[in-house]
Each structure stands twice: as structure tokens, then as C-alpha cells.
Amino acid sequence: MVSAAGPAGFPASLTTFVGRRQEAAGVGARLERSRLVTLTGAGGAGKSRLAIEVATGRAHRHRDGVRFVELAVLADPLLLAHAVAAGLGIQEQAGRTLPEVLAERLRDADMLLVLDCCEHLVEAVAQFVLTLLSACPDLRVLATSRERLGVPGEVLWPVTGLATPPAHVGGAEILEYDAVRLFADRAAAVEPGFAVTDANAAAVAEICRKLDGLPLAIELAAARTNALDAAQLSGWLDGRFRFLAWETRASSPRHRTLDSVVEWSYDLLSEPERTLFERLAVFAGAFTLDAAEAVTAEGADTADLGELLLRLVDKSLVTVVPQHTPARYRMLETLRAYGLARLREHGGLATLTAQHAAYFHDLAEQAWERFRGPHQALWLERLRAEHDDLRVALEYLLTSHDIDNAVCLAGALASFWDVQGHYTEGRVWLERALGANRDAAAKGRVRALNGLGLLAVIQGDVERARVSCSEAELLSRRNGDLPGLVCALQCLGFAALLVGNPDHAVEMLDQSLETALKTGEPWLAGWSYLFLAMVEVVRSDFARASQHGRTAFHLLYEAGEPKSIAWAHLTLATASWGLGDVRDARARTGEALRLFHQLDAPWGLAEVFQVAAMLAMSHQHWERAAALFGAADTARKKSGAALPAFLKGWRAAGIRKVRAELGEQRFGTAREHGLRWPLEAAVLAAAAELGTAPPPLPPARGETPRTGAARREASRTEAPRRSAAATDTRAVAVPHQAALRRKGDYWTLSHDGLVVHLKHTVGLGYLARLLAEPDREFLARELAAAERGMATIGAPVLREWPASPGPGDAGPALDARAKAAYRRRLRELAEDLEEAERFHDTGRAERVRVELDAVTEQLAGAVGLGGRDRRADSDSERARLSVTKALKAAVKRVAVHDPVLGLHLQRSVRTGAYCSYAPDPATRIVWL
């Protein structure tokens, strides 16, 4: 089918365009710089709809308009030029080829040509487009294809599924995500009154995740809401082959069912590509090339597998997962379901699933062997990436009654589940495996029993831990398994401590230490000493606790495992605090914070926050102490770990003290702040209290730079478009409000009732300018000039600034003696600032920052912030350097006083030649 001239001839949109506003703008920007842009992606990802949206929005930019040609129904590549000519109203001419005629007629045309669905005609389209672009300098082409055209100068724009909410996001917040908004919009069309509510939010989010955010799949699912509620629909999707047959009356046959969408791509594959596509479907999550070779290769020669895999990536049947080294790949669930169905038809599913389980069992055993050493963080990251496939392997081993291997695999993963806070999931797998066959191999059973006991005791289920570890103790003694016996006795000792029986705990732990010393393993002996130190902390014998703790620390440090070293630091910190050595306690707690944060260990971080709260009391930082108590409660609740009984008394006493100092209202407000902090904000607050450098912040969970940008843009542009009826029926969460306003020489920072006064710096002025106009890009030079010449947000200028240097001049150069003086003063100021912050001397810290900003800016003007002895290349370069430095310093200052705002700004403020504030919806702040 071919459109008539002009955007009015494009396929008429029968539904609203939801999301992808940022992507549409990005594709438009690419078309400004490149003459051929190809939207690539899997079938049903929304390439055609995005192309139409981009093209219709650009009609006014092209003198001769935009044209749309759909190639899906075109089977013969020889008819390609005829289809395009018909769309442009160009007639054939006798004695001339149609491509020649097109090239001549379009030679001076300023036009955007959209070629939709090119994948089955890739070679013909590539040659045709190359011919036209070579002859027509003002012609631009926007193509959609499941495979690149491979033409010189082609720019690719991958179109993936719409943004879906991560598992930890719930309630009305899921409406921030494009996939959810699309589902809600289409569901309301078939079931009037449908709305996303707290009751169905979890099921709706799960539906969108299961469908990988693919618009076609979501629309097909939403069409079933007239017969199934969200929870039923989510359960229905677990039958992965059912939803392939869901049908719509779309105009294009290839878009009527998901099966037909995938089959269109499958039929275009060569036989080796089809075979690999089917076999890769056995992977539930992201996989590496090594894993693909080990599980799917038929025979010893795997040389061609990598090339075949890259072809499947090029054809959008396999997706590259960003930000992974080595590279990881995955299949969208709709594609995987199709591949599994084909594999089952061909009779190869059982064999491949067994190979898959064997591979991941071996991987888990490797991880177990290396988990107690210095590379724990690397193996944690590996197991996180493989978690979905490890679950599939466990399920296969259990359902195929391979119980010995199921017990071994579950036992090997117990430490991973512990560090990651997957206590309930780990217990379910271990209970299933251990309960399936009590005659499983003794060694594997002991490890699994000890793992179950560990997870149970962390959750406060002391009785289940005692039963599990007592069985492990019996089997270990019977079989001479000394390491297994040590772990069983350690867990039994810790369980006794939790129920208030320190004497029995010491009895068990002394036995564990005696046995551990026989094994010669520092890790085992170190943990026996560490548990003994915990007993002495409970008994308030802090000197003996410190003695045991230091012995434990040296042994565990020798083993090199970060998690164990972190617990040793934290235990020693409590002993030092009891002995009155607050400085050592702060240093050790800060190190524990760094290690637990590196491991993403939620229980460890919860206990760090609690100890940090106690240390804040030592410095009379009452509000921060209250907030950290709240943050500890939130982190512990999310982790699923129970508060150990021996810590409850300390916590209660600390809270009573803080409440008495602040009064009920101030205490409640401060604690509520901490309760609402996201984890990263709590980490920043704890780091500020402990005087340690804040750990680096990761990006928002489940978010890539492109999906994050798309979600921010959609949140900004789609919200006003919601109807009044939708507003009435959807309980949209209200973001937190904040303000930054200038009052004389100070800025007032307010957020949820908390008010902080900050001495003026140029960085705060720049920040206020960005906050006043979200999503606007400012030239750094523009910000600097505004600060020099006028008040930011209407305030008077604090001091006089030298005139701006002319183009290409960064200002007067400094001689070597002057530069040395500047740098010496910077070092002195840095030391002064560190000391002021260490002793929480706010007034002094503010004065130092003001001078530090001024000296830095003056030095940067002559030598650059990198210390290069040169003039800056231009006025723009100088402005970029100085504005970036000032903005980052301002954000850091905000983070010290309000970690929630600091986290939000670190994720939202962009610096460089262009600076902007692009609000991060994950932290949900609105500036007034």
C-alpha cells in the first residue's frame, strides 16, 4: 500500500500515541544530521508507529513534504521502484529505467521518504536507497526494518519495548512507565472504567514485564481485560504459548497475532540461523557467548556460532543487553516462546534443557568455590546476571527428579541468596530440594541444610534454623565433614544468642572454633571468632569483644571475602563504640558501609544505618540520628531480615534518647524523612555522618540511558494529555515538593518541612537557574554570563566579576609563581573544608566553600581545571569547566544536608558545554 502526497495521506492513526516522545525527538535530531536513519527492532516493537509520528511531525521542515511507502505486501524486489514511484505520483518513461526517472525527478527535492517494513527486501532496498541518496542531495530517508540496510552513512536507531516498572516499584508510581500507560489506555478502550489502582498495580506491572514492553503484545493483552482481570491475565501469560495465538483484526496479516509477527521474521532466516534461534530459546535470561556455545553448540566446532549469533542480533531476534562485559544477549519473551514451541515440535527441548541445567549447576559450583575469596563481588555480579537461568535449572532438576543435583545446586546458591537478601526465595528452593528426597548425598545435603539454617536464622525463624542445623551437625559428625560441622555449630551458636542464651552460644561456638582450627581454613576460624565477639558485645564485655573481633578480622582479611570483612568491621565498630573510641567506630562503620554498598547487601546496610544512628547521637546530631533509625527500619524491612533480639534493646534506648532531645514532633518528622529515603539517599546520609567519601551512585534500577530519557520525556509530555476521567479514576502519586530560593546572601533549601540555609555560591545560582526551567538546555557560557551580569532568579549580584574575555581568550595567563600560590591556597582550603565537615562546623564550612569556588574559578580561567599550563581554547571551554565544577560542588552541598534531594540532583543535573535539569522520576521531586 502506498500513501498519497503529504502527511494527510499517511495511514490514519486509530489509537493514541503513548510514550516515545523523547525517542521521536531523538530520531528527528538524527535526521537533521544524517540522510538515512533506520529504525530497527523486533516485530511488534512499534517501529512503524514511531516512524509515522516522526514523519508527520517533520512535514513542515521539508519543502516537498513527506511520503510513506509500506513494503510489507511487496513480495517481488523488482517492483520496489514501482511502489515508490506510485507513491510519489511519478510515471514511467519509455526507454528509461524507473530508478533513473526517480533520481532525476527527486534531484532537487527537499523531501523525507519513509520506507516501512524493509527486512524481506533488504538488498533491494539498500541498493535503491543508495542510488537515490547519491543523486538527490536534499532527500532524506527514514526506514523501518528488523535488520539494518548496510548502506554507507546509515544511522541506526534501535526500537525496543516501552519502559516497564522494575519489581520494586508499585502502586500508582507504575503509571510513570510508558508500557503501563499504554496498557491502561488500551484496556480502558475495551473495558470502560478500567483504571490502574493499588489493587491491580502489581499484576499490571507484571504483565508489562512479561511482555517485554512490546506495544503489540501489550495491546493484545489489554484487549482481554473485558474477560479477565489483571491478576488472571498475568497468570494466563505464564502459559507462554497461549498468548502467541491472540488475534486482532489489524489491516496487516503479519500483525494480527504475535505468532504471525514472529513467523514473519523466522521465515526470513537461513536454516542454521533458525536452528540457533530455536536452541537459544532455552535461556530464560541474559546469556554470554560462552554459555551459548556450551549449551547450544552441536559438536566440537563452535567457530560459526558467534557469527550466527551476530546475524540474529542484526535481524532483531536477539537483543544485546547494555552495560555488560563480556557482552550479554537475550531474547524477548514473545520470541523465546516461539522458539521453545518450535524446539518442542522438533523434539529437541528435553536434551537442551538438560544441557542447560548441567551448565548452570557447574557455574554455581564454581561460584561456591570462589565466593569466600577476594573476587566475591565479581561472582555476585555474575550470579545476579544468571539468576533467571539458575531458577530454570533448579526447576528442571526438581521436576525431572534429579534430586541430588537439585540439592547441590540449591546449597551452592545459599550464600548468594544471603548476600542479596533473597531469604524467602532461597528458603523455598532449599525446602523443596531437601524435602524431595531425604536420602540425597550427605555432603550436598549438609551444605544445603546449613544454607537453609543461615537464611532462616537471619529471618528470625530460630526454630527452623535449629532443626536444620542439628541435622547438618549429625550428618557431618557421621561422615567426618569438618567444614560442614563448623558451619552447623556456628549457626546453632548464633541461634542460641538470638534467643537470649549466650552461655549455650559460647559452648557451640567454642566447639566450632576448635573444629575450624583443625581444617586450617582462615575463613571458618574467622567466623567462629566473629560470632564469639558478638556474644561478648551482648554481654557488654567490649574489651573481650574487641580482642575476638580483631582476631576474626585478621583471619577474614586473609581470606579476602568482602562480606565477611564488612561484618568484622561492623562488629569491631560496636565494640569500639562501647569502649568510647568513637573515632575508630566511625572509621570501621564507614568501611563496612563501603563494602556492603559495593556488594548491594541490604541487611548489612540496614545494620550500618543503625550503628551510624548511634554514632550520630555521640555527636549530638539528633535529627540525623532519627532519620538514620528510620532508614535502618526501611532497609531491614525491604531485606526481609529480622532485627536481632540483642540489638532491639540498643535501638529502643537510642530512640528514647533522641526522642527526648528533639521532642515528639521533631523526632517524628526526622524519622519519617529517613523512612522515606531511597536506599542510595540513606547511603549518602550515613556516609556524611561517618565522614567517609560517599560511594558512587548507580543509575536508576532497570534503566538504560535511553529508556530513562524516554520515560522522563513521556512523564513530562503525556501527563497533560490524560483525560479528566482518567485523572478521576487513577490515584496518581503526588511527588515530593522542594524549593531553592535566594534571600540576600543565603539560599533557602526546603523539602517536606525540612529547611536549610546555604551561603551563596555561584554553583547554587547556576542550579537555581536550571531548576527554574526543567528540560531546557543552557549553554554553560550563557549561565556564566548571567551570573556575572545579573541576579539569578532576581537576586542582586554578590560581587563584581571581571569582564568576559573575548572569543578565543580565556583571560590573562598566570606566571608560574602565581599559579603555585593559587594551588597552595586551594590545598589549604581543601584541608580546612575537610576539617570543618569532620567537626560539623557548618559556618566555617560555608565560608571555606565560598572562597574555594572563587579561587578555583580564577585559576581555571588561566590554566584550566585539569592543571594544564595554557589558556582555555575558548570562552566556551572556560565556561564549561568552571560551570561544571560549580554545579557539582552545589549538588554535593545539597546532598550533605538532604540526601534525598542530593540523590535526585545527581541523577537529574547534566553538565558540560550544555547544562540542564532533566527530572529523574524515580526520585519524584517537583521544584516550586
Side-chain angles (χ1 to χ4, degrees):
M1 177 181 176
V2 179
S3 75
F10 271 57
S13 297
L14 302 179
T15 55
T16 55
F17 183 71
V18 177
R20 299 217 194 271
R21 299 293 176 185
Q22 185 75 8
E23 291 188 57
V27 175
R30 295 295 191 279
L31 284 168
E32 290 290 334
R33 300 191 296 268
S34 305
R35 297 178 58 217
L36 171 60
V37 176
T38 303
L39 307 183
T40 61
K47 301 182 296 296
S48 299
R49 188 63 187 274
L50 177 60
I52 291 170
E53 190 72 14
V54 170
T56 54
R58 292 183 58 82
H60 66 284
R61 293 174 179 267
H62 298 279
R63 183 184 66 247
D64 299 300
V66 296
R67 299 293 186 273
F68 180 88
V69 180
E70 183 180 348
L71 303 178
V73 297
L74 192 66
D76 189 347
L78 295 177
L79 298 178
L80 173 61
H82 294 76
V84 175
L88 299 177
I90 296 175
Q91 301 297 320
E92 295 186 53
Q93 296 179 10
R96 302 181 68 189
T97 66
L98 199 48
E100 289 176 352
V101 174
L102 286 168
E104 180 181 327
R105 292 289 300 274
L106 298 177
R107 190 176 309 279
D108 298 320
D110 178 5
M111 178 187 295
L112 174 62
L113 176 63
V114 180
L115 300 177
D116 185 42
C117 191
C118 302
E119 56 268 7
H120 61 305
L121 304 167
V122 167
E123 292 186 11
V125 172
Q127 187 58 50
F128 177 76
V129 167
L130 183 60
T131 299
L132 284 185
L133 292 178
S134 299
C136 311
D138 294 321
L139 176 69
R140 295 178 188 273
V141 176
L142 176 61
T144 74
S145 175
R146 302 183 193 184
E147 180 179 357
R148 71 175 71 199
L149 301 183
V151 174
E154 178 184 28
V155 173
L156 302 181
W157 185 279
V159 179
T160 58
L162 298 171
T164 60
H168 68 278
V169 174
E173 288 189 17
I174 69 170
L175 284 166
E176 293 286 345
Y177 295 83
D178 289 346
V180 174
R181 286 207 301 279
L182 177 65
F183 181 90
D185 182 87
R186 302 306 191 252
V190 298
E191 181 63 18
F194 177 87
V196 175
T197 65
D198 287 341
N200 65 16
V204 170
E206 187 66 20
I207 289 168
C208 294
R209 285 194 293 269
K210 286 178 178 178
L211 296 176
D212 297 300
L214 287 179
L216 177 61
I218 289 172
E219 292 187 354
L220 290 171
R224 268 59 186 177
T225 53
N226 62 340
L228 301 170
D229 64 28
Q232 291 172 319
L233 189 55
S234 179
W236 191 263
L237 288 175
D238 290 333
R240 61 170 62 94
F241 307 111
R242 292 174 179 161
F243 64 84
L244 289 172
W246 286 352
E247 188 170 3
T248 182
R249 299 190 186 279
S251 59
S252 172
R254 65 190 174 90
H255 276 162
R256 288 179 184 167
T257 67
L258 289 175
D259 188 86
S260 62
V261 169
V262 182
E263 188 172 37
W264 171 272
S265 297
Y266 181 84
D267 288 345
L268 297 175
L269 299 178
S270 66
E271 194 58 40
E273 290 169 344
R274 290 180 184 179
T275 300
L276 181 60
F277 170 76
E278 294 171 5
R279 295 170 75 83
L280 289 175
V282 75
F283 290 100
F287 56 88
T288 62
L289 177 59
D290 287 345
E293 290 176 345
V295 174
T296 67
E298 297 180 284
D301 185 10
T302 61
D304 294 335
L305 190 144
E307 179 61 33
L308 289 173
L309 177 59
L310 293 181
R311 285 191 217 162
L312 293 178
V313 170
D314 280 342
K315 296 179 179 182
S316 302
L317 290 170
V318 173
T319 302
V320 179
V321 182
Q323 299 176 340
H324 276 281
T325 304
R328 285 188 171 272
Y329 309 87
R330 68 180 292 264
M331 298 179 74
L332 299 180
E333 189 58 30
T334 50
L335 300 175
R336 180 171 177 257
Y338 185 91
L340 286 172
R342 289 282 182 164
L343 197 59
R344 179 171 288 175
E345 287 176 13
H346 299 156
L349 183 59
T351 301
L352 266 179
T353 307
Q355 292 172 199
H356 174 275
Y359 174 83
F360 284 99
H361 182 192
D362 181 64
L363 176 69
E365 291 293 344
Q366 292 179 53
W368 169 262
E369 293 296 330
R370 294 164 174 80
F371 212 74
R372 296 177 178 178
H375 302 300
Q376 182 182 56
L378 295 176
W379 280 95
L380 269 174
E381 187 61 34
R382 177 78 184 273
L383 293 181
R384 282 191 205 108
E386 311 285 12
H387 203 182
D388 287 338
D389 282 290
L390 289 164
R391 291 176 177 126
V392 168
L394 271 168
E395 188 63 42
Y396 169 79
L397 292 173
L398 287 168
T399 55
S400 63
H401 305 291
D402 188 353
I403 306 303
D404 280 357
N405 281 322
V407 169
C408 285
L409 176 53
L413 292 175
S415 293
F416 166 69
W417 288 323
D418 164 29
V419 176
Q420 292 299 282
H422 299 311
Y423 307 116
T424 300
E425 178 184 358
R427 289 179 67 182
V428 169
W429 286 116
L430 286 161
E431 293 280 16
R432 284 184 64 189
L434 290 165
N437 182 4
R438 290 188 163 272
D439 297 324
K443 186 171 183 180
R445 188 170 184 83
V446 165
R447 182 173 65 180
L449 286 166
N450 282 327
L452 176 59
L454 172 66
L455 301 182
V457 79
I458 290 172
Q459 289 196 306
D461 190 350
V462 176
E463 181 57 26
R464 185 65 187 97
R466 188 190 63 78
V467 171
S468 182
C469 291
S470 293
E471 183 183 347
E473 178 191 8
L474 181 65
L475 287 174
S476 298
R477 292 188 188 277
R478 180 188 303 166
N479 294 285
D481 180 3
L482 295 185
L485 178 59
V486 172
C487 292
L489 292 170
Q490 287 173 348
C491 192
L492 289 169
F494 189 53
L497 180 63
L498 293 184
V499 297
N501 192 345
D503 292 337
H504 183 59
V506 169
E507 181 183 345
M508 292 290 100
L509 294 171
D510 280 343
Q511 290 183 47
S512 76
L513 178 58
E514 181 181 351
T515 308
L517 293 173
K518 293 178 183 177
T519 67
E521 294 187 29
W523 187 89
L524 289 171
W527 268 101
S528 292
Y529 276 114
L530 193 57
F531 281 124
L532 285 168
M534 293 179 191
V535 174
E536 300 306 331
V537 167
V538 173
R539 288 172 164 173
S540 296
D541 188 345
F542 297 113
R544 190 166 178 80
S546 181
Q547 179 183 351
H548 284 320
R550 291 180 187 282
T551 303
F553 177 81
H554 290 305
L555 289 168
L556 295 172
Y557 190 83
E558 180 183 344
E561 183 205 358
K563 182 200 80 169
S564 298
I565 295 171
W567 281 115
H569 272 302
L570 197 60
T571 304
L572 276 168
T574 58
S576 295
W577 177 72
L579 293 170
D581 189 350
V582 175
R583 182 176 180 179
D584 184 70
R586 280 164 55 87
R588 289 190 177 278
T589 307
E591 187 62 15
L593 173 68
R594 183 186 69 82
L595 291 170
F596 282 134
H597 183 266
Q598 180 188 47
L599 298 173
D600 193 18
W603 180 36
L605 288 170
E607 302 312 329
V608 165
F609 298 155
Q610 175 147 304
V611 174
M614 306 295 287
L615 291 168
M617 293 168 54
S618 300
H619 288 90
Q620 299 183 358
H621 300 157
W622 306 114
E623 273 145 335
R624 182 172 284 168
L628 285 168
F629 276 126
D633 291 343
T634 297
R636 191 178 293 107
K637 181 179 180 180
K638 288 183 177 179
S639 76
L643 177 65
F646 60 84
L647 291 179
K648 288 180 180 178
W650 287 6
R651 177 180 174 278
I655 287 177
R656 280 196 302 272
K657 176 65 173 173
V658 176
R659 182 183 279 116
E661 292 290 339
L662 291 177
E664 188 63 39
Q665 184 175 356
R666 288 176 63 198
F667 170 79
T669 300
R671 183 172 178 271
E672 184 65 25
H673 273 291
L675 284 169
R676 292 201 308 264
W677 279 346
L679 183 64
E680 295 299 339
V683 168
L684 289 174
E689 177 57 44
L690 299 169
T692 187
L697 291 174
R701 242 183 251 183
E703 181 171 286
T704 66
R706 176 169 291 171
T707 59
R711 183 153 54 85
R712 284 193 297 274
E713 180 66 13
S715 177
R716 179 172 65 87
T717 58
E718 285 291 324
R721 300 170 183 262
R722 296 177 188 156
S723 65
T727 304
D728 290 339
T729 56
R730 299 179 192 174
V732 180
V734 178
H736 298 295
Q737 296 181 339
L740 180 65
R741 293 192 174 94
R742 177 81 173 272
K743 293 183 179 180
D745 291 350
Y746 284 86
W747 289 88
T748 299
L749 177 70
S750 57
H751 174 220
D752 283 355
L754 178 68
V755 178
V756 177
H757 299 286
L758 303 173
K759 184 75 171 177
H760 171 77
T761 63
V762 291
L764 288 172
Y766 298 151
L767 180 59
R769 182 82 182 275
L770 299 183
L771 297 177
E773 298 185 65
D775 293 307
R776 176 183 167 184
E777 289 190 335
F778 290 87
L779 276 167
R781 183 170 55 187
E782 177 185 346
L783 289 174
E787 178 65 23
R788 285 194 296 269
M790 58 184 295
T792 302
I793 317 301
V797 179
L798 262 186
R799 56 194 171 105
E800 294 296 322
W801 289 86
S804 176
D809 186 10
L814 301 179
D815 60 29
R817 184 176 179 183
K819 285 183 288 190
Y822 267 111
R823 289 174 175 142
R824 183 168 59 252
R825 183 56 182 156
L826 283 174
R827 287 194 297 270
E828 292 170 352
L829 289 170
E831 292 170 0
D832 288 349
L833 181 59
E834 182 182 0
E835 183 176 317
E837 289 179 338
R838 188 166 61 249
F839 290 101
H840 298 274
D841 188 341
T842 306
R844 179 185 173 195
E846 292 289 353
R847 290 191 297 273
V848 172
R849 287 192 188 97
V850 171
E851 185 178 353
L852 191 60
D853 279 351
V855 174
T856 300
E857 185 158 330
Q858 292 167 24
L859 182 60
V863 302
L865 291 177
R868 293 165 290 178
D869 290 333
R870 58 144 178 87
R871 295 170 182 257
D873 293 334
S874 67
D875 193 31
S876 297
E877 171 70 358
R878 179 173 182 263
R880 182 186 70 81
L881 294 171
S882 62
V883 170
T884 296
K885 177 76 172 180
L887 272 171
K888 288 184 175 180
V891 171
K892 183 178 179 181
R893 289 178 65 195
V894 171
V896 169
H897 294 283
D898 191 320
V900 172
L901 293 183
L903 173 64
H904 175 77
L905 292 173
Q906 288 189 40
R907 287 179 170 168
S908 305
V909 173
R910 309 289 183 261
T911 58
Y914 287 87
C915 302
S916 66
Y917 166 67
D920 169 37
T923 38
R924 299 180 61 75
I925 304 292
V926 171
W927 294 86
L928 302 177

